[in-house]
Amino acid sequence: MIRRLLYAIPTLLGISVIVFFLTRLSPGDPIRIYTFGSQTITEDDIRQLRAFYGLDQPLPVQYVTWLLGVVRGDFGMSLQYHQPALGLLLDRLPATLQLASAALILQILIGVPLGVYAALRRGSWVDNAIRVFGVAGHAVPTFWLGLLAIIFFAVTLRVLPSQGLLTVGKDQSDIVDRLRHLILPAFVLALAAIANYSRYLRTETLDVIAQDFIRTAHAKGLRNRTVVYTHALRNALIPVVTALGGLLAVLVSGSLIIEQVFTWPGAGQFTYAAARAKDYPVIMAGVMLASTLLVISYLIRDVLYAVVDPRIKAR
Amino acid sequence: MATTAQAGTLPAIAPLRRASAGLWSDAWYRLRRDRLTMASGAILTALIVLSLGAPLIAEYVFHTSFEEQSLLKAYAAPTLDPPGYLLGADEVGRSQVVRLLYGGQVSLFVGFVGMLMSLTIGVGLGLVAGFFRGYIDDGITWFITTLNSIPLIFLLILVTTLFTPGAITLTIIIGVLFWTGITNFVRGQTFALREREFVTAARTVGASSGRIMFKHILPNVLPLIFVLAAIDVGTIILAESALSYLGLGIMPPTPSWGNMLTNASSYFNRAWWLVVSPGVMVFLTVLCLYLIGDGLRDALDPRLKGAD
Amino acid sequence: MKSTRAMRMFVSVLGAASLVATACAPSSTTPPATQAQAETPVAGGRIIEGSFSDIQRLNPATSNDATSSGISGKIYDALVNVDAKTGDPIPWLGKWTVSADGLTYSWTIEPKANWSDGKPIIADDFVTRVKAQLRSKVTPNKSQFDKVEGAKDYQAGKATSISGIKVDASDPKKFTVKFTDAFCPALLSVFGAAPLPTHIFGKYTVDSDITKNVDEAPENNNPPVASGPFKFKEWRKGDQVILSRNESYFLGAPLLDEYVLKVVADSTAASAQLKTGELTVNLIQPSEIADLSKQDSLKIYRWQDPGYTYIGWREQSPTATFFNDKRVRQALAYGINMKDVLQAVFFGEGTQMFSHHAPVSWAAATGLNPYAYDKAKAESLLKDAGYAKGADGFYAKEGKTLGFTIVTNQGNKTRETFLQVAAEQYKQIGVKVNPKLEAFEALVPKLTGGNPEVEAVIIGWQIGAEADSYTLWHSSSIPTPEKGGNNFVFYKNPRIDTLLDTGRGPDCSKETRKKAYQEFNQILNEDQPYNFGISGNRLLATASNIRGIDPGSFSPTGEWNIHKWWIKK
């Protein structure tokens, strides 16, 4: 366990190196992009600006400077906003977390029952339908689904807003308004995961049903329903818990696209915009934040896995 | 977006012998009876044939090319006359259906070739890591964990901003970033298999490591790799369409299903059919691929014998 | 794709970014033509406008981007403004006179102009702005005040005050500014810089200490006082910026309660929201007119704009050597049917451009060659230039096909379609065009750096009231390995250089400048360093119950008189 934690540090370092050099090596000068509209800027000014942000140092020096800053909690100043990069991201993190948690809740509430139900009714048309949905929900491009959802619910039916966090004129305390804005992106984000979950659950439930101890219970004469609901469900839930960790990963990556489509002011979309504008400090902070979340989620998953299934620990 | 978290769902393989006619003919028997999978296979084959035949179809069926513009007919609604506008016309009057076919070429190319690349890298590294263990394994595992810990979409975005992508560069980029799931799986399998008697036997007769890996272990791992492969093609096509939608993948005027979606979304109010068709193509293709992957897995997994 | 930056066009002219649009002289109000006589303006209501990007920095001294400037321009008014219809500079927060030698401007600030907290707007506030900007380490406009005497020394820390600016000891609202040389664009560029409240920002600039500056002041993004029609209320990061009415606005309190800027993904989303009423004001693309004009709830305003979208031909290119020949460039003008482009790309909303200054500008020339579409003439010019049509249908000379790549930025539908159409049309006169798209962020450095990869480019200039275009056309603006520049078509013409210099001074009378620009436009029309393309109209879609809108060519947003807008209930 401690070993795992220690393992995470070189991983994060490795990530930072990869991302750092990837961003710096790509063509394009952020200072030029940022100052583009200015008529009065001279070449000297650009040089001064680059020096101010430390961009004229050799790359390894820049990396070390960055790393030393990070150790102190300072991820540098955004080139666009001239405010602390980490602060800008943390400002927008709650929005992403809202979205991710809503999606997580939807996944479990909808995905688990679907999967178990399909396994219980194996071979029937319901099973087939859920099985197809399980695959189809995963096969649909999320951004396309988002676009279609907006057009259908927001533009044609006009029952839901098309984007953003809140309607103009309302504020955070208006829960109904917040939920109205949250439901569409959360659902689109969760869809692939709901599909995934239902397949997963179906497989696991089927596996559990086929296992020996269930057969033994059958032999003992226990009623089918009791057998399934008590034994199968309990065992099938094990992977649900462990898969939570992996799901965080999907959410972090998927949320970027959903945030784009729905103009949800979250950290994912902010990092993407920074990548386009070559705002290096924000890119580094954003990717490191996402990666750290991911690493933590893998750790949690591994821990849960070991705790919940003692057979794994013995390996 | 699907990740190769799929790997975690696959059960361990039971067969203790080398890949023989038995496993495959059993699997094929099961597969043939799985109507859903067979239907998917047929649709996919049809899509591939249509895409490959795009130049011919464009000329003989629709009598137009994918670049031919006709400004007067921009945004034409779907109509049978002229046949080229079967699915409507885009903003400069090009035939949507023909562009879809050509777009299929690009998307399918990126999907299949990207998968082949990541498969090659993944299987190779997985075998090596699982077989040799020790430092090599530690190193590869560390590298995998590191790569896996960066959300894939970020990695793709960062890398595509480095190079102006065309179909080839994009394929290489994706191929080079997608192998981690396969490696993990192959590594796990190799780990388990190297302890078996047939490996020990091979060693005692003096077979080299390479020979053991490729002639003994690989064939046992191969069947389920096909499953992963099918799923990966689907995932890659989804990734390409997402990237092209963001403007980082295939650039117009080369059509790809993804960038036809970027293009059309701004004209949604005028010609919604332009948005529906590329999305449906991606969906259909990926759906078939996933169903085939699913079907293969069900067919190859003896534990579910009799389940269908 | 929803690249927010790509939707913006180039900003080209000095000071244009910081200028709020115009009004007539404050004392009179010309009723907009559309207003019915029976309707009486009532106070109340809010305007919701869309934007493709969020604001970044609200202090005009440290920022440059269009979105931030749009908002800071509503909070801070400037000394001078521009008449929306004519483009002439007009007194705004203050009145000025110029000395005979054109070097000294004397200003008197409006007696009733106060900050929203009641404190008077004084000369020191202008000085505070200049000082803050000079000492800022992050401003993209470091050289805006270069021509003010003593500014450079102050900036370098060699002086503790700006020698050229003198505040009148007896009247805090009076001051003079002396320039190092007579520079015509200075009026708009220097005095278009909005004053900043000394009682808020003054403390951040320490005359004797060059390390102290306004860059990280918390009041930057939370301005407590305003001189413009609106004051800052709230910034919901990534989502909305909310401004509320400034009751003490010197032209009278605006009728609107609030102005909200809402971040939207792209023009599709904006149109969808205009239809549902989530947005009530937005600039739209020509492609959306057909759909939005069908809505009863919306009204569409259109007006001519001085900016334009063009095709630039890179001269002195290592690969595209044919652009050095004027005949080839002229052939390319005759060989494209601009009426088709106007229809297909701009949906008819625009005017053809034949030279740099648009017909609405006072500097525009008459009697220009319209290069009416003439395939035969185009091909005969190519033949004159020594090209012969090959078997493949394309012209070639000495074994080299007349072919090149035209690049434009991905994400801008108008430019992408223009590119497709141009490629197709040129193919028909035997010129092989390879269309290419690139991300805006990748393309911009290539252009301003003079990267030889760029052979031809389709892009646009956003032009304001200032007629000077030195940075686009002067030979010193050509990019070199040491410095970047906006004359990235590498156009070099000594006569043009002279005319541009004349336009900048020392004689700043309209007659002299107009004469110079006439000839300037005629030469450009003849030389065709660009195919000057189309000046697309500005199109503003608004809720039909908003009154008071009266757009003019020199107000890019149409909001020059937003303090007079009102909403009919």
Side-chain angles (χ1 to χ4, degrees):
Chain A
M1 177 56 211
I2 309 289
R3 193 171 149 264
R4 283 262 163 74
L5 259 169
L6 288 178
Y7 207 53
I9 298 182
T11 310
L12 286 173
L13 265 175
I15 295 173
S16 68
V17 171
I18 294 178
V19 176
F20 183 87
F21 285 98
L22 269 182
T23 51
R24 301 310 170 104
L25 287 175
S26 69
D29 177 0
I31 303 291
R32 270 192 207 282
I33 296 172
Y34 179 69
T35 60
F36 189 65
S38 165
Q39 292 317 295
T40 54
I41 196 141
T42 64
E43 201 57 22
D44 233 20
D45 295 339
I46 294 187
R47 245 191 298 264
Q48 278 178 40
L49 279 170
R50 301 194 83 227
F52 175 69
Y53 286 107
L55 295 175
D56 53 349
Q57 306 281 332
L59 283 184
V61 172
Q62 289 191 46
Y63 177 72
V64 175
T65 320
W66 178 82
L67 199 57
L68 291 174
V70 169
V71 167
R72 290 191 320 260
D74 173 15
F75 277 80
M77 287 285 192
S78 156
L79 300 177
Q80 298 173 80
Y81 292 73
H82 195 66
Q83 282 174 57
L86 189 62
L88 288 170
L89 273 165
L90 292 178
D91 269 347
R92 289 161 177 79
L93 196 59
T96 303
L97 288 177
Q98 269 182 50
L99 194 57
S101 346
L104 210 63
I105 294 173
L106 281 175
Q107 275 165 224
I108 300 180
L109 278 182
I110 305 180
V112 171
L114 272 184
V116 174
Y117 192 66
L120 291 180
R121 298 272 179 281
R122 192 187 61 224
S124 72
W125 69 269
V126 173
D127 174 35
N128 274 332
I130 295 184
R131 193 180 145 207
V132 170
F133 164 71
V135 179
H138 224 217
V140 67
T142 32
F143 63 92
W144 183 64
L145 191 66
L147 286 172
L148 292 179
I150 294 177
I151 301 308
F152 188 66
F153 288 102
V155 177
T156 316
L157 292 182
R158 305 222 181 162
V159 293
L160 288 174
S162 58
Q163 58 132 89
L165 273 176
L166 286 166
T167 314
V168 173
K170 308 224 170 137
D171 66 40
Q172 294 280 357
S173 56
D174 192 337
I175 303 287
V176 173
D177 193 49
R178 281 171 70 181
L179 281 175
R180 282 184 76 224
H181 280 88
L182 192 54
I183 186 82
L184 222 44
F187 186 74
V188 175
L189 181 59
L191 192 73
I194 292 175
N196 208 11
Y197 246 43
S198 64
R199 297 175 67 216
Y200 207 52
L201 257 302
R202 177 181 174 277
T203 318
E204 291 302 321
T205 313
L206 282 177
D207 273 358
V208 165
I209 289 176
Q211 272 169 24
D212 285 343
F213 79 90
I214 296 292
R215 294 213 184 94
T216 317
H218 264 281
K220 281 202 223 153
L222 287 174
R223 279 178 59 222
N224 192 30
R225 282 176 86 93
T226 325
V227 165
V228 172
Y229 286 145
T230 54
H231 295 269
L233 208 55
R234 203 191 309 147
N235 280 283
L237 279 176
I238 296 173
V240 168
V241 162
T242 60
L244 275 176
L247 284 165
L248 192 57
V250 180
L251 285 175
V252 170
S253 355
S255 77
L256 187 154
I257 302 215
I258 297 296
E259 287 177 13
Q260 262 308 90
V261 174
F262 287 90
T263 320
W264 189 264
Q269 188 261 354
F270 189 64
T271 314
Y272 170 66
R276 297 299 294 259
K278 302 217 185 313
D279 192 342
Y280 300 137
V282 176
I283 301 175
M284 292 300 292
V287 180
M288 291 313 294
L289 191 63
S291 307
T292 313
L293 281 174
L294 228 61
V295 169
I296 292 177
S297 76
Y298 285 148
L299 268 171
I300 295 179
R301 179 196 60 185
D302 287 344
V303 166
L304 283 174
Y305 207 47
V307 158
V308 151
D309 191 345
R311 292 178 297 160
I312 313 301
K313 237 195 202 156
R315 250 208 253 150
Chain B
M1 280 212 278
T3 60
T4 36
Q6 302 291 332
T9 71
L10 296 171
I13 303 186
L16 294 177
R17 53 212 147 100
R18 301 194 213 177
S20 68
L23 172 67
W24 291 107
S25 65
D26 268 358
W28 177 235
Y29 177 70
R30 272 184 239 122
L31 205 59
R32 269 205 345 250
R33 304 216 359 244
D34 184 347
R35 282 180 295 170
L36 197 54
T37 311
M38 293 312 278
S40 311
I43 297 179
L44 187 65
T45 319
L47 283 172
I48 296 178
V49 166
L50 281 176
S51 291
L52 286 178
L56 293 171
I57 300 178
E59 189 162 340
Y60 294 111
V61 177
F62 296 113
H63 309 295
T64 179
S65 82
F66 78 95
E67 353 173 63
E68 195 177 301
Q69 301 177 11
S70 167
L71 293 173
L72 294 171
K73 298 268 184 58
Y75 305 107
T79 164
L80 282 175
D81 164 45
Y85 289 165
L86 185 65
L87 289 177
D90 70 359
E91 67 268 14
V92 281
R94 291 177 295 205
S95 160
Q96 180 79 342
V97 61
V98 171
R99 297 196 87 224
L100 276 178
L101 290 173
Y102 275 91
Q105 282 186 352
V106 174
S107 300
L108 288 169
F109 174 82
V110 175
F112 280 98
V113 177
M115 177 274 291
L116 280 173
M117 282 194 64
S118 58
L119 207 63
T120 319
I121 301 177
V123 168
L125 282 179
L127 281 174
V128 165
F131 193 77
F132 291 113
R133 302 174 65 177
Y135 289 125
I136 300 180
D137 180 30
D138 280 346
I140 293 182
T141 313
W142 174 83
F143 192 48
I144 292 176
T145 324
T146 308
L147 266 188
N148 269 349
S149 303
I150 312 179
L152 189 62
I153 184 78
F154 283 121
L155 206 50
L156 283 172
I157 289 174
L158 288 176
V159 178
T160 45
T161 49
L162 258 184
F163 313 93
T164 0
I168 314 267
T169 24
L170 191 63
T171 313
I172 297 178
I173 291 172
I174 291 183
V176 159
L177 294 175
F178 255 74
W179 48 267
T180 53
I182 301 176
T183 310
N184 265 331
F185 173 69
V186 172
R187 174 178 168 271
Q189 295 302 316
T190 313
F191 234 57
L193 286 172
R194 74 199 289 282
E195 305 305 327
R196 300 249 200 259
E197 297 89 24
F198 69 93
V199 172
T200 329
R203 255 202 255 262
T204 43
V205 289
S208 74
S209 303
R211 196 181 161 78
I212 300 179
M213 283 198 293
F214 285 103
K215 289 215 77 172
H216 299 264
I217 298 184
L218 185 59
N220 280 297
V221 181
L222 215 48
L224 285 163
I225 290 186
F226 284 128
V227 179
L228 281 177
I231 296 172
D232 270 359
V233 178
T235 315
I236 292 177
I237 293 182
L238 280 177
E240 180 270 320
S241 75
L243 278 179
S244 301
Y245 162 77
L246 288 175
L248 297 171
I250 312 286
M251 294 286 191
T254 316
S256 98
W257 290 335
N259 76 20
M260 285 170 81
L261 282 169
T262 330
N263 267 350
S265 73
S266 330
Y267 291 118
F268 207 90
N269 293 322
R270 284 184 65 132
W272 56 267
W273 49 87
L274 294 178
V275 179
V276 173
S277 40
V280 166
M281 295 302 277
V282 175
F283 175 54
L284 207 57
T285 312
V286 178
L287 182 61
C288 291
L289 284 162
Y290 281 177
L291 283 174
I292 292 174
D294 242 19
L296 273 177
R297 198 202 67 216
D298 282 348
L300 287 167
D301 185 342
R303 290 205 297 168
L304 289 181
K305 209 180 208 165
D308 292 305
Chain C
M1 169 268 183
K2 314 304 174 200
S3 110
T4 57
R5 283 181 176 261
M7 294 307 289
R8 302 199 325 248
M9 304 215 266
F10 272 25
V11 176
S12 90
V13 178
L14 301 164
S18 58
L19 275 187
V20 183
T22 115
C24 315
S27 52
S28 71
T29 36
T30 14
T34 50
Q35 193 176 347
Q37 288 303 96
E39 295 184 333
T40 359
V42 294
R46 85 162 62 86
I47 296 270
I48 310 172
E49 184 163 13
S51 162
F52 301 136
S53 54
D54 193 14
I55 55 172
Q56 289 175 357
R57 312 179 198 174
L58 273 185
N59 187 333
T62 62
S63 81
N64 192 49
D65 65 290
T67 316
S68 305
S69 305
I71 295 293
S72 64
K74 293 182 166 68
I75 300 177
Y76 300 112
D77 267 9
L79 293 166
V80 70
N81 212 328
V82 165
D83 183 310
K85 314 280 173 141
T86 63
D88 292 330
I90 49 175
W92 195 246
L93 270 182
K95 293 189 173 45
W96 78 93
T97 56
V98 194
S99 64
D101 59 4
L103 291 177
T104 309
Y105 285 75
S106 308
W107 282 88
T108 311
I109 298 182
E110 279 292 324
K112 56 181 164 80
N114 296 327
W115 293 102
S116 54
D117 60 357
K119 296 208 169 34
I121 302 180
I122 51 177
D124 266 342
D125 295 330
F126 180 72
V127 179
T128 303
R129 162 63 186 268
V130 178
K131 282 186 175 177
Q133 191 162 327
L134 287 173
R135 287 283 170 87
S136 164
K137 294 261 174 283
V138 299
T139 179
N141 294 320
K142 278 189 195 300
S143 314
Q144 189 167 343
F145 303 113
D146 271 4
K147 301 259 186 216
V148 174
E149 217 172 69
K152 277 206 161 116
D153 284 339
Y154 182 82
Q155 190 171 47
K158 293 190 197 137
T160 54
S161 70
I162 307 172
S163 57
I165 306 184
K166 289 188 175 41
V167 178
D168 190 331
S170 57
D171 185 349
K173 288 217 180 222
K174 284 194 156 126
F175 67 101
T176 59
V177 178
K178 184 150 189 277
F179 288 87
T180 52
D181 31 292
F183 184 59
C184 309
L187 177 58
L188 288 178
S189 95
V190 168
F191 300 112
L196 289 176
T198 315
H199 54 289
I200 308 285
F201 291 104
K203 57 179 180 278
Y204 292 104
T205 310
V206 176
D207 288 334
S208 50
D209 188 348
I210 197 176
T211 62
K212 299 264 185 298
N213 55 48
V214 80
D215 292 344
E216 268 139 65
E219 292 91 342
N220 282 346
N221 289 335
N222 200 346
V225 300
S227 54
F230 291 98
K231 37 181 217 253
F232 176 82
K233 188 171 172 198
E234 193 186 343
W235 178 17
R236 296 187 190 163
K237 306 270 168 71
D239 191 23
Q240 301 173 21
V241 181
I242 306 173
L243 304 179
S244 60
R245 172 198 294 131
N246 178 4
E247 307 283 353
S248 33
Y249 187 49
F250 82 109
L251 289 179
L255 293 159
L256 295 169
D257 284 338
E258 272 187 0
Y259 170 91
V260 176
L261 185 75
K262 189 175 180 207
V263 177
V264 297
D266 57 17
S267 54
T268 317
S271 298
Q273 292 188 35
L274 278 167
K275 292 204 274 199
T276 62
E278 282 166 274
L279 286 181
T280 58
V281 173
N282 208 49
L283 287 169
I284 57 174
Q285 297 289 306
S287 53
E288 278 136 23
I289 283 212
D291 184 37
L292 293 177
S293 51
K294 291 196 199 106
Q295 307 288 322
D296 286 331
S297 56
L298 295 175
K299 190 162 176 195
I300 311 227
Y301 296 87
R302 36 166 72 74
W303 66 95
Q304 285 188 15
D305 186 67
Y308 57 95
T309 307
Y310 62 91
I311 315 180
W313 313 118
R314 157 80 188 251
E315 298 181 43
Q316 298 163 43
S317 160
T319 48
T321 49
F322 27 78
F323 289 136
N324 294 339
D325 189 334
K326 185 167 86 175
R327 287 168 297 194
V328 173
R329 304 196 300 267
Q330 288 179 331
L332 290 169
Y334 282 114
I336 186 168
N337 188 343
M338 269 304 168
K339 291 200 176 17
D340 268 0
V341 172
L342 185 51
Q343 204 45 54
V345 178
F346 292 87
F347 297 80
E349 295 286 347
T351 7
Q352 271 182 269
M353 288 286 285
F354 306 114
S355 192
H356 177 78
H357 288 106
V360 285
S361 165
W362 57 265
T366 48
L368 296 175
N369 181 348
Y371 289 95
Y373 183 49
D374 189 338
K375 270 170 79 171
K377 183 132 194 198
E379 296 199 45
S380 87
L381 274 169
L382 287 178
K383 291 192 189 106
D384 285 347
Y387 288 84
K389 212 165 197 175
D392 58 357
F394 293 116
Y395 279 94
K397 180 157 112 171
E398 288 146 21
K400 191 163 174 227
T401 315
L402 183 50
F404 49 88
T405 305
I406 306 184
V407 66
T408 193
N409 62 291
Q410 182 264 342
N412 183 320
K413 275 275 55 83
T414 309
R415 292 182 201 162
E416 286 182 26
T417 317
F418 192 171
L419 180 57
Q420 293 306 319
V421 174
E424 192 54 33
Q425 301 236 336
Y426 284 137
K427 188 161 118 180
Q428 296 184 6
I429 58 162
V431 175
K432 189 163 190 209
V433 169
N434 173 26
K436 184 169 171 217
L437 288 183
E438 258 195 71
F440 186 77
E441 298 82 12
L443 183 57
V444 161
K446 284 191 186 167
L447 289 174
T448 56
N451 188 324
E453 236 182 75
V454 178
E455 294 175 335
V457 61
I458 290 183
I459 203 147
W461 289 123
Q462 192 168 296
I463 304 220
E466 177 49 63
D468 173 56
S469 50
Y470 189 92
T471 53
L472 301 190
W473 296 111
H474 200 273
S475 53
S476 64
S477 302
I478 294 180
T480 63
E482 293 84 42
K483 70 173 195 32
N486 284 336
N487 182 351
F488 40 77
V489 287
F490 284 68
Y491 178 65
K492 208 168 182 170
N493 184 323
R495 182 67 192 145
I496 290 283
D497 283 355
T498 316
L499 290 168
L500 282 169
D501 288 333
T502 312
R504 294 186 127 192
D507 181 355
C508 291
S509 67
K510 203 168 183 179
E511 302 76 50
T512 317
R513 297 184 79 199
K514 190 166 172 152
K515 194 151 162 284
Y517 289 129
Q518 289 275 330
E519 199 190 327
F520 164 79
N521 280 308
Q522 269 150 4
I523 299 180
L524 288 183
N525 173 252
E526 166 74 18
D527 273 1
Q528 289 286 307
Y530 293 169
N531 179 315
F532 287 90
I534 306 273
S535 167
N537 290 341
R538 290 266 170 186
L539 303 160
L540 188 70
T542 74
S544 42
N545 62 353
I546 303 179
R547 301 276 185 270
I549 301 178
D550 184 23
S553 297
F554 295 94
S555 167
T557 55
E559 287 169 352
W560 62 273
N561 65 344
I562 197 172
H563 58 287
K564 292 229 166 329
W565 291 11
W566 57 282
I567 298 181
K568 182 174 160 71
K569 299 283 189 288

